[in-house]
Amino acid sequence: MEFTQFLNELWIARGALWQGLQLTIAVSVLAIVLGTVLGLFVGMVLVYAWRPFKLLVRLYVDFIRGTPVFVLVLASFYILSVIGIQLTAFQAGVLAITVFCSSHVGEMVRGALQAIHRGQTEAAMAIGLTFRQTFQYVLMPQALRQILPTWVNAATEMVKASTLLSVIGVAELLLSTQQVISRNFLSLEFYFFAGLIYFVLNFSIERFGRHLERRLAVY
Amino acid sequence: MADPLLVIENLHKKFDHLEVLRGVDLRMNGGDVVSIIGSSGSGKTTLLRCVNLLEDFHEGRIVVDGQEIGYAVKGGRRVRLPNSIVARHRALTGMAFQTFNLFPHLSALGNVTLGLIRVRGMKKDEAVAIAERWLDRVGLLERRNHYPGQLSGGQQQRVAIARAIAMNPKLMLFDEVTSALDPELVNEVLNVIKDLARDGMTMLIVTHEMKFAYEVSTRIIFMNEGRIGEEGPPSEVFNNPKTPRLAEFLKNSSF
Ligand SMILES: Nc1ncnc2c1ncn2[C@@H]1O[C@H](COP(=O)(O)OP(=O)(O)OP(=O)(O)O)[C@@H](O)[C@H]1O
Ligand SMILES: [Mg+2]
């Protein structure tokens, strides 16, 4: 019976797959969190910074967004070591996806900040808030609410992008699945199984995003 | 007589090459209610925005309650004060805008308490108590947990007025606060302002509501091409215009 054989092999491979899943989650969470924080700064710079600085960051964003993530992963692993920065494969991978994430979040934040009506800033200034306070209490909360749906989408993209770390030898879920398949040859079953897990991960992220949207949908 | 609450001297403001304010002089005492009328583009909004330091100005002085705001003379040169001080000066005056500009992510109460907590440094309880008092005053206490999107235009504008006035400004500025409202919502807002006038609040009001200006003001100012064209008590200005420009303007306005 095919299915019991698969269950058997799954049981044998459970440790490797579990490790792979943990790595996938670690890479994704790190990249999403760091990339979002960095992206908030990128967005702020794109809107408010001193002109030359703004241009520099614009260049960064356009360059990163125009480069395939695959290339970013290879570059941060191989090229950085050439110029003397030694990163582990895990670190290099997280760096690549973080950078990728930050440029997308940066663009979202820029768009959201620029879409806020000028009257918001003026009303905040008129009651005596400083610019920093205006940003913190008036502009940023509105921008974050605004980008939430696209951000959730981007977060799921980061989970998918984490599979690219398999090419530099990070044994995340995809690579551990491939390693398991190379021992038991049940490729169809195990790829399907991995696919299911990615679906569950991203489905959870989307549900969580919807939940947040509903909670924040007061205005 | 006490010192004047607002002194504007020789105020000039340019947008690029367009000189929008061309030497405005104005004095108000505590409790004065001054309404500014005048045709579109005459500089009424710009004048209010200068008093609230939302615009820079190139020449002249504005003194609120004895403090020159926005600029100082250092070493014989006129310099703009640092942003932190400008923010403090802005809090001397309160402003209500044509488009309300409530913060959509905060409830009515949150809109009013934000400045009390962050600018006046109040504890939350204290800020809520003051905010509730003002929301009650504008008739919206039971809507305190509503968000701007859940309020009518007239209600939003009343919250915006409460937000400004709860900060306890020396002077309130109103820029055409009813012109974005449906006609049936205008009076609820004008009544709030009349109520404040009875309380002795010092107010500088830009309006196209001539009847309201007549009733509420201690003085009317007619702006014409960036200058004060004419001024005086309402009965004087509305009934005996001295300049043809004002006569013409009044003829074209509805009461
Ligand atoms: N930010 C700006 N940049 C350039 N020009 C401006 C700006 N704001 C106002 N102006 C110009 O300054 C002049 C005065 O504008 P202002 O808004 O003060 O007029 P107003 O008397 O309030 O008119 P209205 O009755 O239409 O509100 C107008 O010619 C206007 O086009
Ligand atoms: Mg105007």
Side-chain angles (χ1 to χ4, degrees):
Chain A
M1 169 91 194
E2 293 263 346
F3 193 64
T4 46
Q5 190 201 343
F6 166 68
L7 287 182
N8 246 335
E9 293 295 337
L10 187 60
W11 182 249
I12 294 166
R14 69 187 187 282
L17 293 179
W18 175 237
Q19 294 245 310
L21 176 61
Q22 283 179 313
L23 264 180
T24 287
I25 292 176
V27 170
S28 305
V29 169
L30 274 173
I32 290 169
V33 171
L34 296 175
T36 300
V37 172
L38 189 60
L40 293 179
F41 283 105
V42 166
M44 278 164 64
V45 169
L46 288 177
V47 181
Y48 301 114
W50 182 53
R51 190 86 192 253
F53 201 45
K54 199 187 278 189
L55 284 175
L56 212 68
V57 171
R58 163 104 333 251
L59 209 68
Y60 161 87
V61 168
D62 287 347
F63 180 74
I64 301 293
R65 281 172 21 117
T67 310
V69 203
F70 188 57
V71 175
L72 291 178
V73 171
L74 294 175
S76 59
F77 189 55
Y78 295 109
I79 298 180
L80 285 183
S81 72
V82 171
I83 59 168
I85 303 173
Q86 278 300 341
L87 296 182
T88 64
F90 178 81
Q91 290 167 338
V94 169
L95 175 67
I97 299 176
T98 296
V99 160
F100 175 59
C101 183
S102 74
S103 67
H104 281 268
V105 173
E107 268 296 279
M108 290 175 212
V109 171
R110 179 198 60 76
L113 285 173
Q114 285 177 340
I116 297 175
H117 191 269
R118 258 186 63 192
Q120 291 291 306
T121 307
E122 294 185 345
M125 301 279 220
I127 53 175
L129 293 177
T130 61
F131 182 74
R132 208 187 61 81
Q133 291 174 318
T134 300
F135 186 77
Q136 185 177 351
Y137 302 115
V138 176
L139 302 178
M140 208 46 171
Q142 292 185 52
L144 289 179
R145 172 66 189 81
Q146 175 71 33
I147 67 168
L148 187 59
T150 1
W151 180 85
V152 167
N153 214 16
T156 63
E157 289 300 324
M158 299 310 134
V159 175
K160 294 182 211 162
S162 72
T163 56
L164 296 170
L165 270 57
S166 59
V167 296
I168 54 172
V170 177
E172 42 64 73
L173 184 58
L174 181 63
L175 185 55
S176 19
T177 302
Q178 286 168 340
Q179 287 163 349
V180 168
I181 291 171
S182 70
R183 285 194 299 270
N184 61 28
F185 305 109
L186 296 175
S187 56
L188 188 65
E189 291 85 343
F190 275 90
Y191 276 131
F192 185 78
F193 182 74
L196 195 68
I197 291 184
Y198 282 112
F199 172 76
V200 169
L201 281 180
N202 279 344
F203 187 72
S204 317
I205 293 179
E206 269 162 31
R207 292 311 302 216
F208 177 65
R210 294 257 176 75
H211 169 75
L212 275 183
E213 268 178 67
R214 262 200 308 275
R215 287 218 18 206
L216 296 173
V218 284
Y219 66 89
Chain B
M1 190 72 229
D3 290 333
L5 198 122
L6 172 72
V7 179
I8 301 178
E9 277 173 4
N10 192 31
L11 183 65
H12 286 261
K13 164 72 187 168
K14 276 187 219 150
F15 288 111
D16 297 322
H17 296 296
L18 179 70
E19 191 167 23
V20 174
L21 297 178
R22 315 181 189 194
V24 174
D25 292 277
L26 174 65
R27 265 166 189 266
M28 286 175 70
N29 292 318
D32 281 356
V33 177
V34 174
S35 291
I36 305 176
I37 60 173
S39 50
S40 185
S42 56
K44 306 180 297 293
T45 295
T46 307
L47 177 62
L48 286 199
R49 290 171 58 88
C50 285
V51 175
N52 203 214
L53 297 175
L54 290 174
E55 301 286 355
D56 296 331
F57 48 93
H58 311 89
E59 210 185 316
R61 308 190 324 135
I62 300 178
V63 179
V64 179
D65 199 28
Q67 275 192 70
E68 174 162 3
I69 60 167
Y71 299 86
V73 177
K74 289 209 174 96
R77 286 187 50 216
R78 177 177 184 268
V79 291
R80 191 175 188 279
L81 293 169
N83 288 335
S84 56
I85 297 180
V86 167
R88 239 184 19 241
H89 286 169
R90 281 201 184 99
L92 290 169
T93 55
M95 177 117 168
F97 301 85
Q98 190 171 348
T99 49
F100 332 137
N101 300 343
L102 286 182
F103 307 131
H105 61 299
L106 299 177
S107 65
L109 192 66
N111 267 273
V112 184
T113 54
L114 180 64
L116 295 173
I117 294 170
R118 301 298 164 191
V119 178
R120 296 287 185 230
M122 288 181 188
K123 291 262 176 354
K124 182 139 190 254
D125 299 350
E126 196 187 347
V128 167
I130 290 177
E132 288 185 338
R133 206 162 70 226
W134 282 106
L135 286 173
D136 193 23
R137 200 50 204 281
V138 301
L140 289 170
L141 184 57
E142 73 286 14
R143 303 283 164 111
R144 62 180 172 279
N145 293 323
H146 285 52
Y147 286 81
Q150 302 167 315
L151 299 171
S152 74
Q155 291 170 337
Q156 289 187 52
Q157 191 60 288
R158 281 143 67 198
V159 173
I161 292 171
R163 173 178 70 179
I165 212 152
M167 296 294 292
N168 195 19
K170 303 286 180 192
L171 168 71
M172 267 302 294
L173 308 166
F174 295 87
D175 186 15
E176 289 191 42
V177 289
T178 57
S179 52
L181 295 176
D182 292 337
E184 72 272 19
L185 301 178
V186 166
N187 277 327
E188 63 186 62
V189 173
L190 295 184
N191 287 336
V192 164
I193 301 177
K194 284 180 185 166
D195 183 45
L196 294 170
R198 274 193 292 276
D199 242 31
M201 185 79 215
T202 315
M203 301 192 277
L204 186 56
I205 302 170
V206 172
T207 186
H208 286 297
E209 301 282 338
M210 297 302 161
K211 184 166 166 293
F212 163 73
Y214 193 102
E215 288 167 7
V216 81
S217 312
T218 53
R219 191 157 35 120
I220 304 284
I221 285 177
F222 171 61
M223 286 281 286
N224 185 31
E225 294 175 351
R227 291 196 183 88
I228 292 183
E230 213 170 302
E231 69 178 304
S235 53
E236 216 29 49
V237 169
F238 284 118
N239 300 328
N240 301 309
K242 293 188 182 60
T243 57
R245 293 305 289 264
L246 175 56
E248 163 106 2
F249 173 77
L250 290 173
K251 208 174 73 202
N252 295 327
S253 309
S254 52
F255 280 78

